[in-house]
Amino acid sequence: MGKLWGGRFTKQTNHLVDEYTASIGFDQALAEEDIQGSLAHVTMLGKCGIVPQEDVETIKAGLQTVLDKIRRGEIEFSVADEDIHMNVEKNLIAEIGPVGGKLHTGRSRNDQVATDMHLYLRKRVALLVGMLHELQKSLIGQARDNLDTIIPGYTHLQRAQPILFAHHLMAYVSMFQRDIERLMDSYKRINVLPLGAGALAGTTFPIDRHFVAEQLQFDRVYENSLDAVSDRDFIVEFLSHASIIMMHLSRLSEELVLWSSTEFNFIELDDAFCTGSSIMPQKKNPDVPELVRGKTGRVYGNLMGLLTVLKSLPLAYNKDMQEDKEGMFDTVATLEGALQLFAPMIATMKVNKSRMREAVNQDFSNATDIADFLVGKGLPFRQAHEVIGKTVLYCIQQGKYLLDLTMEEFQQFSPLFDDTIYEVLRPETVVNARNVYGGTATDQVAEAIKRGEVLLSMTEQWLAEHV
Ligand code: ARG
């Protein structure tokens, strides 16, 4: 059999053209979705009396055989057949004869490929929500275990104010929650059926698009046939959500890399998630977070790539749009790889509480609190700031920390100081003084963990309905 579209041609295609235009090398990843869509389409053709029921049964059985063979790796895809759609059709016809040619009635590869992509992304997005949820569980688990662990909080990567390590971890839970919600929201725009748009204008056959949508569990059908085959917004949206997820993962990665350095020594990643050096025997490298940080670049690249492919493209389908696939597949694989590793890596991470404590004791991150203390005694904040600035400078010159100062030394700077200052300056007091909603006080963080657990169960409910 020659090309499925060979009728109009008098010459064979140049083999370099075959190779250049073929997408089978990568779109074979859509085989399951392609056949799933075809099964629904042909069922509808039977129901609407467009193809005789007996042919419909033959075609469905044939499609099932082709699918089984693909799953068993028994089908050799051919570049001459261009893409997954024509490879499946060719194999169907080889399996059941010319009646297989009735499958493509009232359909075009343009609405077919769009349908495949919607089916594919719908499934992946739900799986990714599940993976983000696992990561949140690991973070919340570590937060629960570290409700009494204080670390210096940073701004400008300079010690700022002490915070609970649990509070720091829960910040990431909030970030990944936004990611989950973005993906859930995008599901509404992914779960729309393009099939029935034909090549661009609809079809002359009396098809029933809503019946197909129902069978494939799509919530809606595309309103406009040109939009149905031209729209790749849902992929752009996915790539941008993926970019934000990677950006979040890269920030966490950077902190893990810093924290596991000898200079910080705040955490130790489990041996199972680290690698060694081929030359320096003492080394244990945080390759996973480093690589996640690095792979963030390719995900951003995939987003820019597709935006650029689509820029200025006239309606409706253009072959350029075949370029939507590799970046999407690559992004899904990159995200899945990162998230699958991050959940257990965070869960097994060892937290060096004593080292964190040492860091907190040896800094000035309680300085804001003595300023606030003087404000409590009636001094205007700006003057209090000045007094404490001088006190800190004195400490630095004397090689002391604020808690080391005697009452005499304190009173050199202000007569308003009294003995209660030593309690005010304790890291626990400093942390627990920030008892505002969303703050770092132990009670507040315990509440945040409870709210996080509620979010976990809400996501579980969503997953039960969507995976
Ligand atoms: N392989 C094509 C793609 O991925 C399928 C659609 C082809 N349509 C066409 N008219 N050539 O975009």
Side-chain angles (χ1 to χ4, degrees):
M1 211 189 324
K3 292 260 196 279
L4 287 173
W5 41 253
R8 185 228 177 279
F9 288 77
T10 54
K11 278 191 187 172
Q12 296 264 308
T13 322
N14 180 308
H15 74 97
L16 288 177
V17 171
D18 274 344
E19 267 162 41
Y20 192 69
T21 59
S23 52
I24 188 61
F26 46 87
D27 69 11
Q28 52 185 274
L30 296 170
E32 299 270 340
E33 287 78 9
D34 196 66
I35 292 177
Q36 188 188 357
S38 287
L39 285 167
H41 176 69
V42 76
T43 304
M44 179 277 291
L45 292 177
K47 184 214 131 210
C48 296
I50 299 166
V51 169
Q53 199 52 43
E54 135 188 30
D55 292 348
V56 169
E57 296 312 324
T58 311
I59 292 170
K60 282 167 87 170
L63 283 169
Q64 194 54 54
T65 309
V66 174
L67 181 59
D68 292 341
K69 283 190 171 177
I70 292 175
R71 284 179 179 164
R72 290 197 299 265
E74 286 169 19
I75 286 194
E76 222 178 284
F77 294 115
S78 127
V79 163
D81 291 324
E82 213 175 306
D83 54 27
I84 186 62
H85 325 295
M86 291 202 293
N87 269 272
V88 168
E89 195 177 325
K90 259 284 186 66
N91 277 280
L92 175 69
I93 293 169
E95 208 60 57
I96 62 172
V99 64
K102 295 191 179 185
L103 169 63
H104 210 52
T105 312
R107 181 177 83 170
S108 154
R109 275 185 295 157
N110 298 349
D111 55 350
Q112 184 180 358
V113 71
T115 303
D116 291 4
M117 301 285 275
H118 279 268
L119 286 169
Y120 174 88
L121 211 48
R122 176 174 86 176
K123 188 162 145 202
R124 300 296 148 162
V125 158
L127 292 175
L128 286 167
V129 167
M131 291 177 191
L132 284 164
H133 173 256
E134 287 303 314
L135 176 52
Q136 282 184 320
K137 276 205 281 194
S138 296
L139 288 162
I140 290 178
Q142 285 284 6
R144 253 189 245 112
D145 294 344
N146 285 287
L147 209 43
D148 58 352
T149 313
I150 303 178
I151 55 165
Y154 296 82
T155 65
H156 311 264
L157 208 56
Q158 304 287 323
R159 291 178 183 182
Q161 291 173 351
I163 54 170
L164 291 185
F165 187 50
H167 193 49
H168 196 113
L169 295 173
M170 290 304 290
Y172 283 100
V173 172
S174 291
M175 290 150 79
F176 293 125
Q177 183 60 28
R178 288 195 293 276
D179 292 328
I180 284 177
E181 287 170 16
R182 266 187 282 271
L183 288 179
M184 286 176 174
D185 188 68
S186 74
Y187 198 92
K188 290 186 242 161
R189 287 169 295 282
I190 297 172
N191 208 22
V192 185
L193 175 75
L195 206 66
L200 75 163
T203 172
T204 56
F205 295 96
I207 60 166
D208 183 346
R209 298 183 65 202
H210 294 93
F211 177 77
V212 178
E214 229 170 84
Q215 282 186 91
L216 294 173
Q217 292 173 307
F218 280 106
D219 297 327
R220 294 178 290 138
V221 303
Y222 270 87
E223 292 293 320
N224 179 296
S225 63
L226 268 89
D227 184 42
V229 291
S230 310
D231 176 32
R232 295 293 183 272
D233 294 2
F234 65 106
I235 305 175
V236 173
E237 201 178 322
F238 168 69
L239 294 176
S240 59
H241 296 344
S243 296
I244 298 175
I245 295 170
M246 288 302 288
M247 179 267 285
H248 288 162
L249 285 172
S250 77
R251 294 180 79 168
L252 180 52
S253 292
E254 173 69 7
E255 300 209 294
L256 294 175
V257 171
L258 277 175
W259 290 341
S260 58
S261 68
T262 308
E263 284 67 18
F264 273 82
N265 194 18
F266 281 1
I267 59 146
E268 188 181 347
L269 296 176
D270 195 82
D271 276 5
F273 297 96
C274 292
T275 55
S277 155
S278 58
I279 171 167
M280 296 164 280
Q282 83 284 8
K283 291 204 73 183
K284 177 171 158 183
N285 295 330
D287 284 35
V288 172
E290 289 174 90
L291 207 46
V292 167
R293 200 172 57 181
K295 282 177 187 286
T296 302
R298 69 198 280 159
V299 172
Y300 291 3
N302 291 335
L303 170 62
M304 284 308 132
L306 184 59
L307 280 170
T308 311
V309 165
L310 296 173
K311 178 185 176 295
S312 315
L313 264 196
L315 303 189
Y317 180 83
N318 300 273
K319 186 73 170 181
D320 315 45
M321 288 159 76
Q322 181 167 287
E323 286 291 307
D324 61 359
K325 290 176 194 62
E326 287 157 291
M328 180 186 72
F329 293 144
D330 182 70
T331 299
V332 167
T334 305
L335 264 186
E336 286 181 354
L339 291 170
Q340 274 168 354
L341 281 169
F342 253 68
M345 188 175 70
I346 294 293
T348 55
M349 161 182 98
K350 228 180 73 207
V351 177
N352 193 346
K353 297 190 186 200
S354 60
R355 171 61 200 132
M356 288 174 169
R357 184 62 198 203
E358 218 173 272
V360 167
N361 287 342
Q362 293 169 3
D363 75 2
F364 293 97
S365 62
N366 45 7
T368 313
D369 291 66
I370 31 173
D372 290 352
F373 171 89
L374 294 180
V375 170
K377 301 275 176 195
L379 200 64
F381 181 79
R382 205 35 70 203
Q383 281 177 43
H385 188 289
E386 169 82 15
V387 168
I388 306 309
K390 291 205 167 108
T391 315
V392 168
L393 181 63
Y394 171 82
C395 283
I396 293 169
Q397 286 162 348
Q398 300 289 314
K400 288 182 171 184
Y401 294 102
L402 289 164
L403 267 172
D404 301 331
L405 297 184
T406 63
M407 189 42 54
E408 261 171 21
E409 287 175 302
F410 269 124
Q411 293 203 330
Q412 265 173 240
F413 297 98
S414 167
L416 294 172
F417 282 118
D418 61 46
D419 273 351
T420 55
I421 192 65
Y422 294 105
E423 175 56 27
V424 169
L425 287 182
R426 279 181 54 236
E428 280 73 13
T429 317
V430 173
V431 162
N432 286 317
R434 281 154 180 83
N435 196 12
V436 296
Y437 188 95
T440 194
T442 313
D443 288 350
Q444 294 296 339
V445 177
E447 284 301 314
I449 290 175
K450 276 194 210 144
R451 292 196 298 272
E453 282 159 353
V454 172
L455 293 173
L456 287 182
S457 66
M458 280 166 61
T459 303
E460 274 153 32
Q461 218 172 313
W462 187 92
L463 287 168
E465 290 160 16
H466 292 84
V467 175

